[in-house]
Amino acid sequence: FVLHRGRPVVGRGVRTAFALLVPIILGDVLNQPLFAWAALGGWLGSLADKGGSYRTRALTMGALLVFGSAFSYAGTLAAHSAPIAVLAMLVVAIVGGLGRVYGDEGSTVGLFVAVLFAVAEGSRSPAAHLAQTRAVMLAGGVAWAMALSLVLWPLHPFRPARQAVARCYRELAQLARALEEIANATDETRAGFARDLARSLHANVRASLEEARVVLAGVRRPRSGRSPRGEQLLVLTEGAEQLFGTLIAIESELDAAQESTPVGEGAPFARAFECIARALESVAMAVDDTVDASARGDTTSLPLPENDGNVHLRAAVAQLSRLGRDLEMLTSVAAGIDVRASSVIPETNRPEPVRASRHWFAWLRPLREGLSPRAIPLRHAVRMGIASAGAVWLSYALDDSRGYWATITILLVLQPYSGATVRKTLQRVAGSVGGGILAAALAFALRTKLAIAGVMFPLTIGAVAVLPLNYAVFVFLLTPVFVLLAEPHPGDWTLAGLRVANTVLGGMIALVASQLLWPVRESASYAPQLGALLRELRAQLVAVTGPGNASLAAWRRAADEARRRVGVAVSNAEATLQRLIMEDAPPPQRIEAAMTVLAYSRRMASTLSALAAARASGEPMELGRDGEAIAADIDALASALSASPGRILPHSRAEEQMAASVTGVTESPISLRQAQLERLRTQLAVLQRAVERYHAT
C-alpha cells in the first residue's frame, strides 16, 4: 500500500466521480435501478480516457460506447443458457485480449468490453426487454462520460503536448545539472556518484522525448492541416533530441578526458553547464502552458572553457559552442510559441492524397502478427478466455448471483507474464479484503442512500487519483463504492463478504491459469532482448562510422535515429530487468551481468554519439576496417545472446586489438579518432566478458 513517486490526478478523480455518481442520483430520484448501468458506463468511459489528443480520446471512448453496448446486450441474452454463457465468455475474452495488439487504447477497450459482457452474464434476470434497456443505459453513461471529458470539462488541445515538450527540457536541465556536478567534483568518489546520476538520467530524457513524440502525433488531426503552434512544438522536440545527443557527446568526452586529467580541474565546464541548465529551465517555462510564456533564457553569454591540450577536452569545448548556438535558437522559438505567425497559413485547402487500396487493410497487420501460434498476445488471450469461461461455469454450478466478481478479477489481473500476474493478483486481493472490511463498516454505519452517496464521492475521487501510483490502494478505495452501489438496501453488509470471497476465488483461478496455460516468464525472453539491444548498437556503429557525407542533413538524421533506437532499447531492457528483479528473483550473478551489458551498451552509444558529433564538425572519424571488426564482434555477441544458453561465444579480437594499440603508441599526440577507437575497443571487451558471465549463470 506504499504509493509510488508521482502526483495524484485529483482533477481526473473529480471528473470520474461526477460521471459515476450523477447517474446513480438520477436513478434514485426516478426510482430506476437500471441507471446503475449508466453509472457503470460513466465509470468505464472515464477510465478509458487516457489523455492525448481529442481525436484519440473520442475514438477510444466511442469504440467503448459502440462495442460495450453491443456486448452488454449480447451478454444479457447469453445469460439464459449456461452452456451458451460459458462458450460466449470464452470467445469474448479471447477477442478482448487480442485488443492488446493495438496498443494501450485497444487493450483498454478490449478489456472493458469483456468486463461488461461478464457483468451482463452474471446479472441474470427474467425481466422482458432487459437486454435492450441495459444497452441503452450503458450507452448513455459512456456518452455522459464523453460529454464531461470532451465538452463540459475540456482541456486545451495543445496543453498535453506543451507539457510533454516542457518535460523534455526539464529532464535535459537535470542532466546538465548532473554534468555540472561531475565537473565540480573534487575527488574520485564524488565524481563517480555524479557520473552514475548522469547516466541514470539518460532513461528519463529518452522516455520524455518518446512521450512528447506520441502526444504530438496524436494532437495533429489528419484533416485540420498544420498549425503554427504545432510546428513550433515539433521544432522544439527535435531540438531537444539534438541537445540530448550533444550533451551525451560532451559527457563521453569528459569521461575520456578524466582518465588522464586530475579530478577537480573542471570548474570552467561547471560554469558552462550551470548556464545551460538555467537556459533549459527557461525554455521549459516558456513552453509549459501553465506558467508565464514570456520567460526567456540567455545563452549568448555561455562561458566556454579555453582550448586544452587534451584532445577530448578540445572536442568537448567544440560541442559546447555548438550546443550554445542551438539552444539560443530554441530559446527564441519557445519565447514566441504563443505568437501566431501570420506568415504561416494552415494548409486546410490541400486535397487529401488518394490512398492506395493496399493501405485500407493496414489495421489488420498487427492482428495478423498477433495471431501467430507462438505469439504471446494470442496465448495470453486464449489463457484469459479459458480462465474466465471456467469462472462463469463455476458461477452457474454454484448458483452464485455475484460470481461475475470472480470473472472480472480474472480479466483484470491476468497478464501476459506469470510474474506480473502474481503481483497484480496479490494487489487486488489485498485491496479487496481491506476494502471489503471498510465497506462492511460503512454499510453498518450508513442508513440512508444520501449518506452513502456522500461517502462514495470522496472514495471515487481518491481511488482514481491514486490509480497511477498504487493499484492496491485503488482497489481498497474502490471496493466500498461498488459494494455500496450493489446493495439493494442500506445497512446490508453481507455483500462485502461475497465481494471478498469472489475476488479471492478469481485470483486463485488466475494464478493457476498463469502457471498451467503456456506460462511465460520474462526471464526466458530477456537474453534475446539484450541481443536485440546489441543489434541496435551495431546499427548505430555502422551509421556513424560507415561511408557517407557527414556534412549532409540526411546523414545526421540517420545517425540521430540510430542513437534514438539504442536509447529506446536500453530503456525497455532496463524496465524489464527491474520487473525481473521484483518478480522472478534471478541469480545475483545474472543480474550483475545484465546490468553490465546495459551500462556498457549505453557507454558505447555515448562514445558513438561523440564520434558522430566530431565527424559532423569535419573531423576525419571514419574507422574503416576497425569499425567493421567491432561491428562483427557486436553481431556475434548479439547472436550468442539470442541463441540457446550454453552456446560457446566466438572469440573477440577487441582485447588483442586494444593491447596492440597500446604497444604501438608513440610520443606523438594521439588523434581524436585513435582515442575514440581505443575507447570503443575497451567497452567492447567489457561487453564480451559480461555476456560470457550471463551465459555462465
Side-chain angles (χ1 to χ4, degrees):
F1 290 98
V2 178
L3 297 180
H4 300 299
R5 292 182 60 184
R7 181 182 301 176
V9 284
V10 179
R12 187 182 179 193
V14 175
R15 189 174 65 187
T16 304
F18 273 102
L20 172 68
L21 297 178
V22 167
I24 293 176
I25 295 173
L26 283 176
D28 187 42
V29 171
L30 300 175
N31 195 26
Q32 290 290 339
L34 284 177
F35 265 79
W37 280 85
L40 182 60
W43 165 257
L44 294 180
S46 294
L47 291 185
D49 179 14
K50 302 293 186 180
S53 69
Y54 277 95
R55 180 176 181 270
T56 300
R57 295 160 63 194
L59 286 175
T60 303
M61 300 172 77
L64 178 62
L65 187 152
V66 173
F67 293 111
S69 301
F71 279 87
S72 63
Y73 181 89
T76 304
L77 297 179
H80 297 294
S81 170
I84 293 177
V86 173
L87 181 60
M89 189 70 248
L90 172 68
V91 175
V92 171
I94 291 175
V95 173
L98 285 173
R100 185 177 293 268
V101 302
Y102 291 106
D104 192 30
E105 289 79 11
S107 176
T108 299
V109 172
L111 176 62
F112 286 177
V113 165
V115 166
L116 288 169
F117 187 85
V119 174
E121 274 196 344
S123 306
R124 300 184 287 274
S125 174
H129 308 296
L130 182 64
Q132 182 177 354
T133 306
R134 282 179 176 177
V136 171
M137 286 292 180
L138 180 74
V142 178
W144 163 236
M146 293 180 66
L148 275 177
S149 299
L150 305 176
V151 180
L152 301 178
W153 203 313
L155 297 175
H156 193 283
F158 281 100
R159 177 169 292 173
R162 292 182 64 160
Q163 292 175 339
V165 175
R167 194 175 303 117
C168 296
Y169 283 88
R170 290 194 177 97
E171 296 292 350
L172 285 172
Q174 291 293 323
L175 178 57
R177 297 286 185 191
L179 296 180
E180 179 188 358
E181 288 294 322
I182 295 176
N184 270 329
T186 56
D187 56 80
E188 186 56 42
T189 301
R190 182 180 173 187
F193 283 128
R195 281 193 290 268
D196 291 341
L197 174 61
R199 288 163 186 155
S200 69
L201 291 173
H202 289 186
N204 296 346
V205 178
R206 172 54 55 202
S208 64
L209 285 168
E210 296 305 315
E211 179 187 1
R213 285 192 173 93
V214 171
V215 175
L216 281 170
V219 167
R220 174 73 181 261
R221 292 176 296 178
R223 288 183 171 80
S224 64
R226 61 188 178 95
S227 68
R229 185 172 290 120
E231 291 197 350
Q232 288 170 318
L233 290 173
L234 284 171
V235 169
L236 288 165
T237 302
E238 293 306 315
E241 180 71 62
Q242 298 290 337
L243 295 178
F244 184 35
T246 306
L247 283 174
I248 290 177
I250 296 172
E251 179 185 358
S252 178
E253 299 291 2
L254 292 181
D255 283 348
Q258 285 187 350
E259 296 174 0
S260 57
T261 303
V263 174
E265 300 295 328
F269 284 95
R271 289 192 293 271
F273 287 131
E274 197 273 337
C275 181
I276 291 169
R278 283 191 284 106
L280 289 167
E281 290 164 354
S282 296
V283 172
M285 290 180 60
V287 175
D288 197 337
D289 195 33
T290 60
V291 297
D292 181 12
S294 63
R296 291 191 58 178
D298 182 13
T299 59
T300 58
S301 59
L302 178 64
L304 293 177
E306 296 181 1
N307 281 336
D308 192 273
N310 188 296
V311 63
H312 293 290
L313 292 182
R314 291 201 308 269
V317 171
Q319 296 305 320
L320 275 175
S321 176
R322 175 188 168 194
L323 186 145
R325 294 192 299 270
D326 292 344
L327 190 50
E328 183 177 0
M329 182 272 294
L330 293 169
T331 301
S332 299
V333 174
I337 195 169
D338 286 317
V339 179
R340 301 189 65 85
S342 59
S343 59
V344 181
I345 303 174
E347 299 174 347
T348 55
N349 296 324
R350 295 179 63 180
E352 288 291 318
V354 178
R355 298 186 178 184
S357 58
R358 60 187 179 93
H359 294 300
W360 292 354
F361 300 101
W363 63 275
L364 289 174
R365 183 178 303 168
L367 183 61
R368 185 173 64 250
E369 295 173 354
L371 288 176
S372 171
R374 294 183 177 272
I376 290 179
L378 177 60
R379 293 186 175 186
H380 170 65
V382 175
R383 182 191 306 120
M384 193 164 69
I386 294 174
S388 57
V392 171
W393 176 81
L394 271 179
S395 69
Y396 277 89
L398 300 175
D399 195 23
D400 186 357
S401 60
R402 302 290 177 179
Y404 59 84
W405 276 335
T407 310
I408 292 174
T409 298
I410 293 170
L411 294 171
L412 294 177
V413 304
L414 262 180
Q415 303 296 310
Y417 297 101
S418 304
T421 299
V422 172
R423 186 182 70 234
K424 197 160 188 179
T425 299
L426 294 177
Q427 289 176 331
R428 186 168 182 86
V429 170
S432 293
V433 171
I437 296 173
L438 177 60
L442 291 175
F444 181 79
L446 304 176
R447 298 292 178 174
T448 65
K449 290 188 176 182
L450 181 61
I452 290 174
V455 171
M456 290 169 67
F457 192 79
L459 286 176
T460 304
I461 295 175
V464 177
V466 302
L467 176 57
L469 308 180
N470 191 296
Y471 182 70
V473 177
F474 165 76
V475 176
F476 170 74
L477 296 175
L478 187 65
T479 295
V481 174
F482 279 93
V483 168
L484 296 174
L485 178 62
E487 289 175 351
H489 306 290
D492 183 7
W493 55 270
T494 57
L495 285 182
L498 286 175
R499 164 90 178 199
V500 172
N502 280 287
T503 299
V504 172
L505 175 63
M508 292 174 60
I509 295 175
L511 289 177
V512 171
S514 69
Q515 299 299 320
L516 296 182
L517 301 175
W518 308 286
V520 179
R521 292 186 177 273
E522 284 186 301
S523 57
S525 60
Y526 192 57
Q529 187 175 3
L530 291 178
L533 164 61
L534 292 183
R535 288 192 178 89
E536 295 292 352
L537 187 64
R538 180 190 182 278
Q540 184 187 9
L541 174 68
V542 172
V544 169
T545 65
N549 189 348
S551 63
L552 297 179
W555 184 92
R556 184 61 185 270
R557 285 196 299 270
D560 286 344
E561 175 61 19
R563 174 177 56 81
R564 186 190 73 83
R565 291 175 66 88
V566 173
V568 172
V570 170
S571 297
N572 292 338
E574 285 181 333
T576 303
L577 179 62
Q578 185 61 35
R579 291 196 299 270
L580 287 174
I581 294 173
M582 296 176 60
E583 297 164 9
D584 290 345
Q589 297 84 355
R590 175 162 289 193
I591 294 175
E592 181 275 332
M595 291 172 61
T596 303
V597 171
L598 293 176
Y600 275 83
S601 295
R602 188 188 299 111
R603 288 191 175 195
M604 184 173 281
S606 299
T607 303
L608 291 172
S609 296
L611 199 152
R615 187 175 175 185
S617 64
E619 292 277 353
M621 301 298 293
E622 296 86 346
L623 298 185
R625 291 184 178 180
D626 292 321
E628 293 175 1
I630 294 175
D633 282 342
I634 295 176
D635 196 39
L637 291 179
S639 299
L641 282 169
S642 301
S644 59
R647 173 175 173 176
I648 298 176
L649 297 175
H651 177 65
S652 173
R653 292 158 296 183
E655 295 189 9
E656 296 176 358
Q657 292 169 337
M658 184 175 60
S661 66
V662 172
T663 58
V665 171
T666 65
E667 296 298 328
S668 61
I670 187 172
S671 69
L672 182 60
R673 176 190 178 280
Q674 291 172 316
Q676 298 291 33
L677 179 58
E678 181 180 346
R679 191 169 177 80
L680 286 173
R681 287 171 175 167
T682 302
Q683 293 161 346
L684 179 59
V686 176
L687 274 176
Q688 166 80 11
R689 293 192 292 269
V691 173
E692 289 175 350
R693 292 198 304 274
Y694 190 91
H695 264 268
T697 55

